[in-house]
Amino acid sequence: MQANTFAHLDGSILRIGIVAARFNQNLTDAMLADCVNALALCGVKESNMVTVRVPGAFELPVAAATLADQRDLDAIICLGVLIKGETKHDHYIADACANGIMNVALGAEIPVLFGVLTTENLTQAEVRSLGTHKKGWEAGMSAVEMALAMKAIS
Ligand code: RBF
């Protein structure tokens, strides 16, 4: 399984939004906790983290758009766990979620991170959220890296 590595990042001047879906709550709670830990490790102050919970992955883009409209965040992280079921719902939700998140990022010109697991089954989701591959942590680190990169080029 692929994982990312990160250099030391100084996020002490950053304000970061987090939108986390509640669906599959034990997994999304773990991703949220790992994400907050990653931000704290980079020096992002707790008072500079804005967290919003939404029902499911489908609702992530609209909440991210509303946060982006406030224009005081350097990055927004979207977290969710979408697990394949017996029908095609996961495709529709995943497509809407990924496209919606990218639209928010391009519209607001801030990084909006896609920390959404789209897995075949619960075991895959558990490995990526609770297990060794902490994708919530990775999303947090990626947000700090992107926020700093955007400041450097703007
Ligand atoms: N939301 C998730 O975040 N992960 C899921 O695995 C998930 N599965 C769903 C399965 C079905 C059949 C439906 C109807 C919704 C599911 N949702 C899931 C919730 C969805 O993201 C959204 O919150 C609701 O559809 C309300 O708009």
Side-chain angles (χ1 to χ4, degrees):
M1 197 188 305
Q2 300 280 318
N4 210 346
T5 54
F6 298 89
H8 174 72
L9 299 165
D10 179 4
S12 56
I13 56 160
L14 300 178
R15 264 179 75 74
I16 309 281
I18 306 171
V19 189
R22 259 198 337 275
F23 212 97
N24 297 307
Q25 187 158 9
N26 60 327
L27 308 186
T28 48
D29 282 356
M31 290 181 77
L32 176 58
D34 288 340
C35 180
V36 167
N37 284 342
L39 297 180
L41 185 75
C42 296
V44 180
K45 297 179 191 73
E46 214 179 306
S47 55
N48 284 335
M49 300 180 202
V50 182
T51 303
V52 184
R53 296 303 292 259
V54 296
F58 192 74
E59 284 74 39
L60 291 169
V62 70
T66 302
L67 282 181
D69 280 349
Q70 294 172 15
R71 309 299 320 164
D72 63 349
L73 295 171
D74 297 297
I76 298 170
I77 302 160
C78 293
L79 300 173
V81 175
L82 194 43
I83 301 174
K84 190 170 174 46
E86 290 176 359
T87 62
K88 289 186 182 165
H89 73 273
D90 58 304
H91 289 281
Y92 294 115
I93 297 173
D95 277 357
C97 179
N99 289 330
I101 286 172
M102 183 53 84
N103 285 340
V104 177
L106 295 177
E109 294 188 8
I110 61 167
V112 185
L113 286 292
F114 186 69
V116 181
L117 305 182
T118 57
T119 67
E120 293 291 316
N121 53 51
L122 179 61
T123 306
Q124 288 181 351
E126 286 174 343
V127 170
R128 287 159 179 80
S129 54
L130 309 173
T132 45
H133 288 79
K134 295 191 181 309
K135 294 296 177 187
W137 188 87
E138 214 173 282
M141 298 301 284
S142 300
V144 174
E145 179 176 341
M146 276 305 295
L148 294 173
M150 297 290 280
K151 280 193 186 298
I153 59 174
S154 64

